[in-house]
Amino acid sequence: MLKDITIGQHFPGNSLVHLMDPRLKIIITICYIVVLFMAANPLGIALSILLLLSLYLVAKIPLKMIGKSLKPILPIILFTCVLNLFFVVGEGEPLFQFWIFTVYAKGVQYAVLMAVRVLALIAGTSLLTYTTSPIILTDAIERLLAPFAKLHLPVHELAMMMSIALRFIPTLIEETDKIMNAQKARGAMLDNGSLKQRVMALVPVLIPLFISAFRRADELAMAMECRCYHGGEGRTRLKVLRMTRRDLVCGLVSLAVLGVILSTRFFVPGLQ
Amino acid sequence: MSAMIQIEHLTYVYNPGMPDATTALDDVSFEIEEGQFVGIIGSTGSGKSTLITHFNGLHRPTSGRVLVDGTDLWEKPEKIRDFRFKVGLVFQYPEYQLFEETCYKDIAYGPKNMGLDPQEIDRRVRQAAGFVGLSPQLLERNPFELSGGQKRRVAIAGVLAMEPKVLVLDEPAAGLDPEGRDTILGAVKAYHKATGITVVLVSHSMEDIARYADKVLVMDQRKLALYDDVDKVFAQAPRLLELGLSVPQITKIFLRLKELGLDIDTDVYTMPYAVNTLREALEKRKGEAKC
């Protein structure tokens, strides 16, 4: 079950999407999210999804992976759907009513719109992590946030913490898997039993996991100190990010497409 | 003797249907008889660890069957827990799975899950601790205060306390000093002798397998390469070397002696036998020299 988690998973490749400057990719992803929430009409949303799918095709990421990245958040989406469905108060006649629930046509619209938006949002940000290795990604974030260092924001430290965290996600997942197996071998009931039983069964997994996480942190800190790590000041990089002409062209094209999608809200009647 | 573990055409694929699907076991079949001490060797990634997690149903075969004591593990998946108690599995570096405040409580975790009454649990915990050489005073200590070797013995006792019919150990001596290694493997051997249960030992060390096991199973590239009595497998030293495995150092010496022209048997893998063989060969040679 832990293998379903795809956060931070990376599919190496050398497509146009993979090779694009990560800083640009982050900016475009942010613009995409903004457009997704500003384009309040079906056409705009449909176009954004189309754009996303074509980018997946260009990146040669199997479309199956979209489904895989969406699976863990389905409960959240269902929850927001239900909330929207029942609590949005529209004008005119309600669609139907029972007990304390009243469903308006507007509620249904909202629910669907919200669900599609969140799905597209997760699929879009997943594309970013699928095509960019975590190390490069944090590198890009550090560079993008660099101006804030002047305001005494510990940009380098934040980026370092992030890359360490991302680096250890797969390790910890593997570790959890191992410990779960070891406790299952001693008869732990992790997959069945009542809710209380299952929660109690997690204690023998979480304690060893925390202990090993602390041990790893300690060892890593020691290893970093042994290599004279002393923070970001004066640190040079192995790979220096360079914006090429191709990056600029790709970036401009993507932003133009997003602009067109955004502009549909002026031509097509919105839902809000 | 009846077969305790039967593996029939076992194939296991990680992430089937995904782009990163990898075959971990490819059509493996063998039987382990009751009361035997079987060693499993193979280079890293040969499928040893995946194989043993099939013995107690932690992994479900992609195809093929696993039978323990004559029953198919996956006939009734809801009963799989019974097999976890029947086949006790000690993972690599088992000390990382300790979680209780005292060693006693940690060893009691397995028996408790079995639903035994407190007296029986107490008896089992003390007995298991005795087998691995943990003193009663240690039982009340916090496991995180102990040394690495002691922690590992606590973890192994935790599995022994379930009194399984089959004991499977994955590299129980990894990362220990020679003394700790002998203590643990000696305890396992003593337990095997005392209870007569079936033991499966995964190890990288040919010396350990030669010393403790009756039969050896050699895994290579996700397939079963060899499975036979210890002496018969080590007699095929060239084949083992071909598989990227070493033979016991003592066997290597005898192979080299033969290469240098000494007329000597090379199916030697333990020290006492080596001494005898060498003496015989030398006497024979002395006799020849006299003539």
Side-chain angles (χ1 to χ4, degrees):
Chain A
M1 72 188 195
L2 286 167
K3 295 210 176 72
D4 295 340
I5 298 173
T6 54
I7 303 166
Q9 218 178 52
H10 170 230
F11 287 84
N14 49 9
S15 71
L16 219 49
V17 183
H18 281 91
L19 295 179
M20 194 185 217
D21 189 288
R23 288 168 290 182
L24 216 49
K25 268 197 263 188
I26 294 175
I27 293 172
I28 291 171
T29 309
I30 293 172
C31 293
Y32 166 79
I33 294 170
V34 171
V35 167
L36 209 52
F37 279 80
M38 298 232 335
N41 57 71
L43 178 67
I45 302 244
L47 283 175
S48 343
I49 292 173
L50 200 68
L51 170 70
L52 184 66
L53 288 180
S54 47
L55 284 177
Y56 264 88
L57 288 179
V58 172
K60 295 202 184 79
I61 304 281
L63 292 179
K64 252 195 283 194
M65 290 315 299
I66 303 184
K68 218 178 163 190
S69 62
L70 294 180
K71 218 167 103 189
I73 55 140
L74 274 182
I76 303 172
I77 292 175
L78 280 179
F79 184 68
T80 45
C81 260
V82 170
L83 279 188
N84 274 305
L85 206 55
F86 292 130
F87 292 99
V88 171
V89 181
E91 293 147 15
E93 282 293 298
L95 281 182
F96 61 89
Q97 245 174 324
F98 68 92
W99 194 34
I100 53 165
F101 298 112
T102 323
V103 175
Y104 293 91
K106 201 174 175 191
V108 178
Q109 276 181 358
Y110 262 63
V112 173
L113 187 69
M114 209 56 201
V116 173
R117 268 179 182 164
V118 176
L119 288 174
L121 179 123
I122 300 293
T125 41
S126 299
L127 180 65
L128 177 67
T129 51
Y130 283 157
T131 58
T132 322
S133 84
I135 305 290
I136 297 181
L137 201 60
T138 41
D139 225 24
I141 291 173
E142 186 177 349
R143 294 295 296 274
L144 282 175
L145 291 179
F148 293 98
K150 294 219 167 62
L151 301 172
H152 298 291
L153 189 78
V155 172
H156 172 77
E157 281 72 14
L158 284 176
M160 183 54 92
M161 280 197 298
M162 227 173 93
S163 51
I164 290 174
L166 283 172
R167 155 69 185 76
F168 276 95
I169 287 175
T171 314
L172 287 177
I173 289 178
E174 202 180 302
E175 187 110 357
T176 315
D177 220 34
K178 263 192 205 158
I179 296 170
M180 277 169 74
N181 271 342
Q183 306 300 23
K184 271 197 230 164
R186 294 204 282 165
M189 286 200 283
L190 296 170
D191 306 325
N192 37 37
S194 69
L195 187 65
K196 196 186 161 217
Q197 270 174 322
R198 278 201 231 185
V199 171
M200 291 312 286
L202 277 181
V203 173
V205 175
L206 290 179
I207 292 177
L209 188 66
F210 271 101
I211 289 170
S212 97
F214 281 119
R215 187 175 43 86
R216 272 181 205 285
D218 220 32
E219 282 168 7
L220 182 68
M222 189 79 85
M224 282 167 83
E225 228 155 89
C226 285
R227 289 192 266 171
C228 305
Y229 176 80
H230 56 81
E233 215 164 300
R235 217 170 129 82
T236 54
R237 314 187 157 274
L238 178 63
K239 281 183 190 149
V240 182
L241 294 174
R242 269 199 199 90
M243 205 73 91
T244 60
R245 185 175 291 166
R246 186 183 57 200
D247 286 327
L248 281 177
V249 173
C250 288
L252 284 176
V253 170
S254 322
L255 288 178
V257 173
L258 285 174
V260 169
I261 294 174
L262 188 60
S263 70
T264 58
R265 74 190 296 240
F266 302 115
F267 310 123
V268 184
L271 292 170
Q272 276 156 329
Chain B
M1 269 191 282
S2 60
M4 193 67 207
I5 292 180
Q6 284 165 276
I7 305 288
E8 294 173 355
H9 303 288
L10 171 62
T11 297
Y12 185 76
V13 183
Y14 277 106
N15 306 330
M18 295 301 296
D20 54 343
T22 36
T23 307
L25 291 169
D26 189 359
D27 194 22
V28 175
S29 300
F30 63 90
E31 277 181 15
I32 294 175
E33 269 151 34
E34 195 175 348
Q36 269 188 327
F37 197 125
V38 176
I40 299 184
I41 44 176
S43 42
T44 317
S46 59
K48 291 170 298 186
S49 297
T50 314
L51 177 64
I52 57 166
T53 49
H54 280 88
F55 292 174
N56 70 346
L58 283 173
H59 279 133
R60 191 173 184 157
T62 309
S63 70
R65 294 205 303 165
V66 178
L67 289 91
V68 171
D69 218 359
T71 324
D72 187 343
L73 245 63
W74 293 98
E75 206 172 81
K76 289 187 191 130
E78 67 277 7
K79 291 270 176 208
I80 198 74
R81 226 168 134 238
D82 299 347
F83 290 101
R84 306 257 161 90
F85 299 129
K86 221 171 198 176
V87 181
L89 183 53
V90 180
F91 279 92
Q92 241 174 56
Y93 298 102
E95 57 270 30
Y96 293 142
Q97 75 197 31
L98 301 176
F99 68 97
E100 282 284 13
E101 303 143 66
T102 66
C103 299
Y104 183 95
K105 279 193 191 169
D106 208 283
I107 299 174
Y109 178 66
K112 233 183 189 163
N113 281 331
M114 296 171 83
L116 300 169
D117 60 83
Q119 281 144 334
E120 176 66 8
I121 293 179
D122 187 68
R123 181 190 71 76
R124 287 185 174 205
V125 170
R126 294 188 186 283
Q127 201 174 22
F131 265 119
V132 295
L134 292 170
S135 64
Q137 297 93 284
L138 269 181
L139 283 179
E140 297 312 318
R141 296 263 299 275
N142 186 318
F144 300 107
E145 299 167 354
L146 305 181
S147 74
Q150 284 172 324
K151 272 190 213 168
R152 188 165 304 177
R153 279 187 272 160
V154 173
I156 293 176
V159 173
L160 290 186
M162 304 193 304
E163 300 195 346
K165 292 185 94 175
V166 184
L167 178 64
V168 186
L169 303 116
D170 192 355
E171 298 264 4
L176 294 182
D177 57 27
E179 200 193 323
R181 176 178 202 98
D182 287 345
T183 318
I184 287 205
L185 293 175
V188 171
K189 185 76 189 173
Y191 187 77
H192 173 68
K193 265 203 181 131
T195 57
I197 64 162
T198 315
V199 177
V200 179
L201 173 73
V202 177
S203 177
H204 267 117
S205 155
M206 294 293 164
E207 274 80 12
D208 290 345
I209 300 248
R211 212 163 130 194
Y212 298 105
D214 310 320
K215 286 184 99 173
V216 200
L217 194 152
V218 183
M219 293 293 293
D220 179 54
Q221 313 249 328
R222 305 170 282 282
K223 282 182 196 272
L224 182 80
L226 297 166
Y227 180 45
D228 215 329
D229 293 339
V230 169
D231 45 350
K232 284 181 192 142
V233 169
F234 285 141
Q236 307 182 44
R239 169 104 172 98
L240 286 175
L241 294 171
E242 209 176 275
L243 294 176
L245 298 166
S246 69
V247 288
Q249 276 175 8
I250 194 83
T251 317
K252 265 190 211 157
I253 294 176
F254 275 70
L255 282 168
R256 184 91 181 106
L257 283 174
K258 177 128 186 167
E259 234 175 77
L260 290 172
L262 189 69
D263 181 21
I264 200 166
D265 287 336
T266 52
D267 54 344
V268 174
Y269 52 89
T270 57
M271 203 50 101
Y273 188 65
V275 172
N276 274 336
T277 318
L278 198 58
R279 188 184 292 138
E280 273 169 32
L282 286 176
E283 265 159 23
K284 206 160 100 192
R285 208 182 146 133
K286 229 189 256 168
E288 277 165 18
K290 269 179 194 163
C291 296

